[in-house]
Amino acid sequence: MCDLTYDDVKRAADRLAGRTRPVTVVEGDDGVWLALEHMQHTGSFKARGAYNFLAAHREAGTLPEAGVTIASGGNAGLACAWAARLQGVRATVFLPENAPHVKVAKLRGYGADVRLVGAEYAEALAACEEFAATTGALASHAYDHPLIAAGAGTLVDEIRERVPGLDTVVVAVGGGGLFSGVATAARHHGVRTVAVEPEGCRTLNAALEAGRVVDVPVDSVAADSLGARRASRTALAIARDPDVRSVLVPDTAIVRARQALWDDRRLAVEHAAATALAALAGGADAAYAPAEGERVAVVVCGANTDPSDLVRR
């Protein structure tokens, strides 16, 4: 049973009005459009879910004095810290020790208390859960919460306004928050969703194969953002819809797609943000090959990266 509906997405859109940036959509090649959500506040789509989460708790009177806490590979923590600062709430963010320096620095710039724990997201999450239990802080989540997913889902209506006749939206999947929100809104409008994962971080694909949520190894160039060890149950339930397709891409395709976004458009994005686009690379051999005339939007989801490796010398 899925606990996320299109009504949740619409309520999120009302809360976000005037707070988040409407997504910029540009036409790419061969009928493919790019939804440039890496231009969102904090450099990723996560700002939508984070603001919705805190605003909903404020409406309900359930924001504690201890503030909010979250475990994150970086982007969700940034979004949580940004949303907390806007609403006058303290934020304590737990990250793996290998989190990119650029994300750690930005977190501290938003005024968050940053704590680096362990080598993987799961270890940071355990520390965050202990902190919430001992302090009474409100525990947010990087992806596994209906308010977080609903905020992410607000992207779809904005994309549809800019791409009339949209047939398909392509998104990268880590733990499944972006996918869950986007697929819920897309299904409401009769739009199919393509869920793209690195071969080395296949939480959703493995869950579909097993018929249940399972832990998977994490080994990908995009693991700093897509490195969850398991997908949410909500994501699995939504992914079983016949209008959802799950595909995998190798790291080599992700690296090429990221470089192409820089070389062709001067867009400096994370490997995670290039993962969705990588599914369309390779023509007939692509992980997802659109049909003739199919109108496809690819979500470019994050920009929190060190761009120095993109400049070819």
Side-chain angles (χ1 to χ4, degrees), residues 18 54 75 87-88 99 101 115 148 167 195 201-202 230 249 257 269 284-285 287 291-292 300:
L54 288 179
N75 284 341
Q87 300 193 46
H101 173 74
R115 306 193 183 189
I148 299 295
D167 297 303
C201 298
R202 52 184 294 263
R230 61 168 51 195
V249 293
V269 304
D285 295 326
E292 185 176 352
V300 181

Side-chain angles (χ1 to χ4, degrees), residues 41-231:
H41 292 294
T42 77
S44 87
F45 74 95
K46 296 280 190 179
R48 295 173 183 265
Y51 192 90
N52 186 50
F53 178 82
L54 288 179
H57 277 282
R58 183 174 292 283
E59 288 174 11
T62 52
L63 277 177
E65 289 187 11
V68 62
T69 186
I70 189 171
S72 164
N75 284 341
L78 286 168
C80 180
W82 167 79
R85 186 178 69 172
L86 282 185
Q87 300 193 46
V89 178
R90 287 186 287 174
T92 304
V93 182
F94 291 80
L95 287 82
E97 293 172 354
N98 62 354
H101 173 74
V102 64
K103 294 182 180 180
V104 175
K106 286 186 70 174
L107 272 168
R108 289 178 173 145
Y110 285 129
D113 178 1
V114 179
R115 306 193 183 189
L116 303 176
V117 179
E120 294 185 4
Y121 168 76
E123 295 172 88
L125 176 60
C128 178
E129 290 171 344
E130 181 180 358
F131 177 82
T134 57
T135 66
L138 174 66
S140 185
H141 198 281
Y143 58 87
D144 193 6
H145 194 285
L147 289 169
I148 299 295
T154 59
L155 263 171
V156 173
D157 282 356
E158 294 179 14
I159 294 171
R160 289 183 69 249
E161 288 176 1
R162 294 154 179 78
V163 187
L166 178 69
D167 297 303
T168 305
V169 61
V170 184
V171 295
V173 180
L178 174 62
F179 162 75
S180 295
V182 164
T184 295
R187 179 176 56 194
H188 176 82
H189 295 295
V191 173
R192 70 180 61 86
T193 303
V194 178
V196 188
E197 297 173 277
E199 291 176 347
C201 298
R202 52 184 294 263
T203 60
L204 184 61
N205 186 268
L208 285 167
E209 186 177 274
R212 59 186 175 83
V213 172
V214 294
D215 284 342
V216 299
V218 173
D219 183 15
S220 170
V221 69
D224 65 314
S225 292
L226 303 182
R229 287 170 58 185
R230 61 168 51 195

Side-chain angles (χ1 to χ4, degrees), residues 242-289:
D243 282 334
V244 171
R245 180 170 171 183
S246 169
V247 303
L248 302 176
V249 293
D251 276 3
T252 51
I254 295 170
V255 171
R256 283 196 302 269
R258 178 173 178 261
Q259 188 67 53
L261 285 169
W262 172 254
D263 290 343
D264 298 343
R265 295 178 176 273
R266 284 300 185 260
L267 299 179
V269 304
E270 301 172 39
H271 286 100
T275 297
L277 184 61
L280 303 179
D285 295 326
Y288 183 77

